[in-house]
Amino acid sequence: MVVVKEWKIKSQRRNLTIVVEFILLGFSDLPKLQGVLFGIFLIMYMSILLGNGLIIIITKTDPSLQTPMYFFLGNFSFSEICYTSVTLPRMMMNLWTKKRNISFLNCALQLGFLLILGGTECLLLAVMAYDRYVAICKPLYYSLIMNSKVCTQLVLGSWFSAMPILIAQTYQIFSLPFCGSNILNHLFCDMPPLLKLACGKKFINEFFIYADAVVFAMVPFLLILGSYIKIITTILEMPSATGRYKAFSTCSSHLIVVVLFFGSAIITYSIPKSSSLSGVDKVLSLFYTIVTPMFNPLIYSLRNKDVIAALKKLLPKGLIS
């Protein structure tokens, strides 16, 4: 009996593979479009850096934008740049060099930063919704409630509260033994494809993934939803049509961003996971990691007269009509 037990243990150990790197398949199934995809992603990345960079500059330098709403917007734009920079440069390098390997450590770092920045964005969106709630539903107390100290604390809380928990979650995932293939059929290191390759008892990891999703995604989303229910109710009760339009215009841009970000992320993580849907997963992951950050500056600038006025002061005459 002892001999049989030892044989089984040795057999299980032989089946385990010490993974030192992963292979990100990305768009390897489109070999003729590698150059085209690189060009498209390069343009998108430059647009993200330029658009969000301009938002950061004008919210820091323009005197008319020194309010809590634009303070939060500047921080959100900075988080968008960081969030995109975790994945997009690596994807472009893989397309350019056609080398798709990523080391075990770099994969862990990419996932860790992706989770932390994703959690930060969810919390910042909730903070921005709270700011609009106070501004519209409690306008007389706005300057008292949203003072500079509170705004700074809310931003610091959004940036740092998620770090220890999500770092621990990343450590848990990469502490699992990986067996068999080291090929990730994805664009970057993400939790679902990594857990597919892991073996052993994954129940605890999956439980903490769902728990963290509730804390850093579902709770902020419900807070945003509750804030906007109260905001819309307050707006509809306003006697003046001009007042209703002005109040709604101040929060409509944020609402659009919330729908785009949370909508694409929820669809990505709720659809059934199968090999036949891997292409859909890739497209949806591109949407919330690249497309949404690219359109955010446009959404905020095109629907905001103050931002347009600030951009006209900053940019050369004739560039913005």
Side-chain angles (χ1 to χ4, degrees), residues 64-115:
S64 64
L65 302 183
Q66 302 306 303
T67 63
M69 181 175 73
Y70 296 110
F71 174 67
F72 297 137
L73 177 58
N75 275 273
F76 184 72
S77 293
F78 178 69
S79 72
E80 290 281 57
I81 291 175
C82 297
Y83 187 58
T84 307
S85 298
V86 172
T87 57
L88 193 46
R90 182 86 200 191
M91 287 164 53
M92 290 191 296
M93 185 184 75
N94 291 346
L95 287 168
W96 183 258
T97 62
K98 296 181 176 59
K99 295 180 180 179
R100 309 185 189 282
N101 56 308
I102 181 171
S103 69
F104 188 89
L105 177 60
N106 287 337
C107 189
L109 289 173
Q110 186 180 62
L111 178 63
F113 280 114
L114 192 70
L115 293 178

Side-chain angles (χ1 to χ4, degrees), residues 20-83:
V20 295
E21 66 176 17
F22 295 97
I23 307 298
L24 292 168
L25 289 184
F27 293 104
S28 58
D29 55 334
L30 302 171
K32 295 181 180 179
L33 297 178
Q34 302 295 292
V36 175
L37 289 171
F38 175 84
I40 292 172
F41 288 148
L42 179 61
I43 293 171
M44 295 175 80
Y45 189 48
M46 296 304 295
S47 300
I48 291 167
L49 295 179
L50 179 62
N52 287 284
L54 285 173
I55 294 292
I56 294 170
I57 291 171
I58 62 174
T59 55
K60 291 293 183 183
T61 60
D62 195 282
S64 64
L65 302 183
Q66 302 306 303
T67 63
M69 181 175 73
Y70 296 110
F71 174 67
F72 297 137
L73 177 58
N75 275 273
F76 184 72
S77 293
F78 178 69
S79 72
E80 290 281 57
I81 291 175
C82 297
Y83 187 58

Side-chain angles (χ1 to χ4, degrees), residues 16-321:
L16 294 177
T17 304
I18 299 175
V19 174
V20 295
E21 66 176 17
F22 295 97
I23 307 298
L24 292 168
L25 289 184
F27 293 104
S28 58
D29 55 334
L30 302 171
K32 295 181 180 179
L33 297 178
Q34 302 295 292
V36 175
L37 289 171
F38 175 84
I40 292 172
F41 288 148
L42 179 61
I43 293 171
M44 295 175 80
Y45 189 48
M46 296 304 295
S47 300
I48 291 167
L49 295 179
L50 179 62
N52 287 284
L54 285 173
I55 294 292
I56 294 170
I57 291 171
I58 62 174
T59 55
K60 291 293 183 183
T61 60
D62 195 282
S64 64
L65 302 183
Q66 302 306 303
T67 63
M69 181 175 73
Y70 296 110
F71 174 67
F72 297 137
L73 177 58
N75 275 273
F76 184 72
S77 293
F78 178 69
S79 72
E80 290 281 57
I81 291 175
C82 297
Y83 187 58
T84 307
S85 298
V86 172
T87 57
L88 193 46
R90 182 86 200 191
M91 287 164 53
M92 290 191 296
M93 185 184 75
N94 291 346
L95 287 168
W96 183 258
T97 62
K98 296 181 176 59
K99 295 180 180 179
R100 309 185 189 282
N101 56 308
I102 181 171
S103 69
F104 188 89
L105 177 60
N106 287 337
C107 189
L109 289 173
Q110 186 180 62
L111 178 63
F113 280 114
L114 192 70
L115 293 178
I116 291 169
L117 291 166
T120 299
E121 291 209 347
C122 292
L123 295 174
L124 280 173
L125 286 171
V127 167
M128 294 167 76
Y130 175 69
D131 172 70
R132 291 300 83 208
Y133 160 74
V134 176
I136 293 173
C137 300
K138 299 182 179 181
L140 297 178
Y141 299 97
Y142 182 70
S143 59
L144 181 64
I145 296 174
M146 302 303 294
N147 58 65
S148 59
K149 182 180 179 181
V150 170
C151 292
T152 303
Q153 289 174 342
L154 288 171
V155 166
L156 290 176
S158 299
W159 275 100
F160 295 109
S161 61
M163 281 188 181
I165 297 174
L166 295 176
I167 288 173
Q169 181 172 298
T170 303
Y171 175 78
Q172 283 184 330
I173 291 173
F174 282 89
S175 295
L176 289 169
F178 291 91
C179 47
S181 175
N182 66 335
I183 296 175
L184 292 171
N185 189 16
H186 206 55
L187 304 172
F188 47 84
C189 292
D190 204 358
M191 288 186 293
L194 281 167
L195 286 175
K196 283 183 180 179
L197 299 184
C199 52
K201 295 180 180 180
K202 296 183 283 185
F203 172 77
I204 296 176
N205 296 81
E206 291 173 348
F207 171 78
F208 279 111
I209 286 172
Y210 286 113
D212 291 343
V214 169
V215 173
F216 296 110
M218 187 57 67
V219 171
F221 179 73
L222 292 176
L223 290 173
I224 293 168
L225 186 62
S227 297
Y228 273 101
I229 289 173
K230 293 181 178 180
I231 288 170
I232 293 171
T233 302
T234 303
I235 290 173
L236 293 176
E237 291 174 353
M238 292 180 177
S240 169
T242 305
R244 288 196 297 268
Y245 174 78
K246 186 177 179 180
F248 186 75
S249 64
T250 61
C251 58
S252 58
S253 299
H254 177 254
L255 187 58
I256 293 170
V257 171
V258 167
V259 171
L260 288 174
F261 181 80
F262 280 100
S264 57
I266 289 170
I267 293 172
T268 301
Y269 286 97
S270 62
I271 61 174
K273 303 297 177 185
S274 66
S275 58
S276 61
L277 292 174
S278 59
V280 178
D281 289 347
K282 292 177 185 179
V283 173
L284 288 172
S285 65
L286 282 178
F287 198 86
Y288 68 84
T289 57
I290 299 174
V291 177
T292 303
M294 184 178 68
F295 281 113
N296 284 350
L298 290 174
I299 293 169
Y300 279 108
S301 60
L302 292 176
R303 301 184 62 84
N304 193 305
K305 293 180 180 179
D306 293 334
V307 173
I308 293 174
L311 287 172
K312 285 181 178 179
K313 294 177 188 177
L314 182 66
L315 298 175
K317 291 183 179 180
L319 194 61
I320 298 180
S321 56

